[in-house]
Amino acid sequence: MAGDRESVEEQCDRAFSHADNRAVGMEPTYSGALSFMRRRYSKDFRAADVDVVVSGVPFDLGTTNRPGARFGPRGVREASAQLAWGRHWPWPFDAFEHVGVIDWGDVFFESGNPQEMLGKVEAHAEAILAAGKSLLTLGGDHFVTLPLLRAHARHHGRLSLIHFDAHTDTYEESGRYDHGNMFRHAASEGLIDPERSVQIGIRTDYARENHGFTVLDADWVQNHPLQASIDTIHEKVGDNRAYLSFDIDCLDPSCAPGTGTPVVGGLTTNQALQILRSFVDVRLVGMDLVEVAPVYDVGAITALAGAHLAMDYLCVRAAQKLAGSGVAPA
Ligand code: MN
Ligand code: MN
């Protein structure tokens, strides 16, 4: 009977009962402790069986419109419980058998202190990268990508940016640092190379002259076969190391209403997923999923889309590992 009791315990609360960081298993979607994809909560990112560290950055003081993305990490973790029951469509494997993933929890910083957030997130990312691991970060508003890029570029060199968004986030704002201009700062700091970067799903105005980045606007994506978007991204990025930043407002509000600055006329969730799944041969060094704001959501579809996109990223990493491709620790 002792054995029975043990097996029952192992079927619940895998966020703290998983035996190791590659363990797989099912648990009721509607109960138990919530972590991203029921991964183990652990601060030990240096463990040998860890490949990817999931962290939350519950920050939304960089928003220019509606706040609420500070609840994004919690919302995405909760939605991900609906996906944590085995092989993730359409991949022919269970990613967690191949890629060790922990949920580190949320980065702590004083609320009301954006400067502290910048330092804490950058230091957190640097420590993980120095340990030879990679990051999957849940925002937070899009401003959190700036400290992440600072750490990634220091470790990996100047990066290609693969950026899904309704907005270019390169707006000219004299002296301002917020979620609408951090990619302008990232380019001027030399963290990313606009000439080898692509922005997908854009449908708000931007300074087209001297913009530098390749833009696949939402209409262009809709009016061409999806393979054309995929080919352009692969062509621009080539064999450069690439950071993937996914602002959930890239998706149409019918797919992702739960975000601070929704813009009609966007991509469907499925279009974005198909593009993301094509990145198995792209040298991805990390990903963030930002701007999920559960308070504006309907039936948690935005958080679910975010969880799905993040999970497909992990499947891409698993496929790379199986193929022996991807990026070795620098
Ligand atoms: Mn946006
Ligand atoms: Mn954005």
Side-chain angles (χ1 to χ4, degrees):
M1 291 306 288
D4 289 344
R5 192 164 57 244
E6 191 176 63
S7 68
V8 167
E9 285 167 358
E10 283 175 355
Q11 288 167 20
C12 307
D13 295 317
R14 292 179 186 276
F16 56 83
S17 68
H18 267 314
D20 60 63
N21 298 321
R22 293 258 179 96
V24 297
M26 295 166 66
E27 148 172 15
T29 56
Y30 46 82
S31 67
L34 292 168
S35 63
F36 181 69
M37 293 301 293
R38 305 290 196 183
R39 293 296 88 200
R40 268 176 112 196
Y41 270 115
S42 171
K43 299 294 184 190
D44 184 15
F45 57 76
R46 293 182 179 84
D49 63 352
V50 172
D51 297 297
V52 181
V53 180
V54 178
S55 318
V57 182
F59 174 89
D60 60 15
L61 293 182
T63 50
T64 51
N65 190 20
R66 305 184 300 178
R70 69 180 61 185
F71 296 103
R74 183 179 290 177
V76 171
R77 285 189 177 103
E78 181 173 0
S80 76
Q82 300 175 59
L83 304 174
W85 51 274
R87 288 184 180 185
H88 183 73
W89 176 265
W91 303 91
F93 49 71
D94 187 324
F96 299 119
E97 287 180 16
H98 308 290
V99 179
V101 182
I102 57 168
D103 190 330
W104 187 87
D106 290 345
V107 180
F108 175 77
F109 41 85
E110 281 187 331
S111 61
N113 191 341
Q115 201 64 41
E116 193 192 46
M117 183 282 288
L118 286 171
K120 287 281 181 67
V121 171
E122 185 176 344
H124 174 65
E126 272 186 357
I128 292 167
L129 293 168
K133 317 297 185 181
S134 69
L135 288 94
L136 166 58
T137 307
L138 309 174
D141 71 49
H142 215 158
F143 187 52
V144 307
T145 303
L146 184 59
L148 291 167
L149 281 174
R150 285 173 176 163
H152 281 80
R154 188 173 299 117
H155 190 75
H156 288 290
R158 200 176 186 204
L159 295 162
S160 288
L161 180 71
I162 304 176
H163 170 209
F164 291 82
D165 207 319
H167 317 86
T168 62
D169 294 345
T170 55
Y171 301 101
E172 190 96 59
E173 307 277 1
S174 53
R176 280 173 55 176
Y177 279 76
D178 61 35
H179 78 156
N181 51 41
M182 69 285 160
F183 290 138
R184 171 179 292 276
H185 295 302
S188 65
E189 289 179 27
L191 312 177
I192 53 175
D193 181 359
E195 297 296 325
R196 301 188 73 176
S197 299
V198 188
Q199 300 180 304
I200 305 119
I202 306 302
R203 54 195 184 280
T204 48
D205 197 29
Y206 62 98
R208 291 160 205 248
E209 64 288 349
N210 304 320
H211 183 59
F213 298 83
T214 295
V215 171
L216 303 181
D217 68 48
D219 286 353
W220 195 94
V221 174
Q222 297 285 359
N223 294 333
H224 290 79
L226 212 51
Q227 192 61 44
S229 293
I230 292 169
D231 290 345
T232 306
I233 296 166
H234 280 73
E235 196 178 298
K236 277 287 157 192
V237 172
D239 61 359
N240 205 27
R241 294 181 183 212
Y243 185 87
L244 173 58
S245 189
F246 201 107
D247 182 332
I248 203 71
D249 72 27
C250 174
L251 303 182
D252 190 81
S254 61
C255 296
T259 191
T261 315
V263 184
V264 300
L267 273 62
T268 66
T269 309
N270 187 260
Q271 287 172 318
L273 285 168
Q274 288 190 62
I275 296 172
L276 198 161
R277 287 179 193 136
S278 78
F279 294 158
V280 175
D281 57 353
V282 175
R283 301 180 74 200
L284 295 169
V285 297
M287 176 188 183
D288 59 56
L289 185 282
V290 298
E291 299 282 0
V292 172
V295 68
Y296 313 110
D297 212 352
V298 176
I301 58 173
T302 311
L304 183 62
H308 218 291
L309 288 156
M311 182 57 202
D312 269 88
Y313 169 75
L314 294 176
C315 291
V316 167
R317 297 303 296 250
Q320 290 179 333
K321 203 159 184 189
L322 281 164
S325 61
V327 179

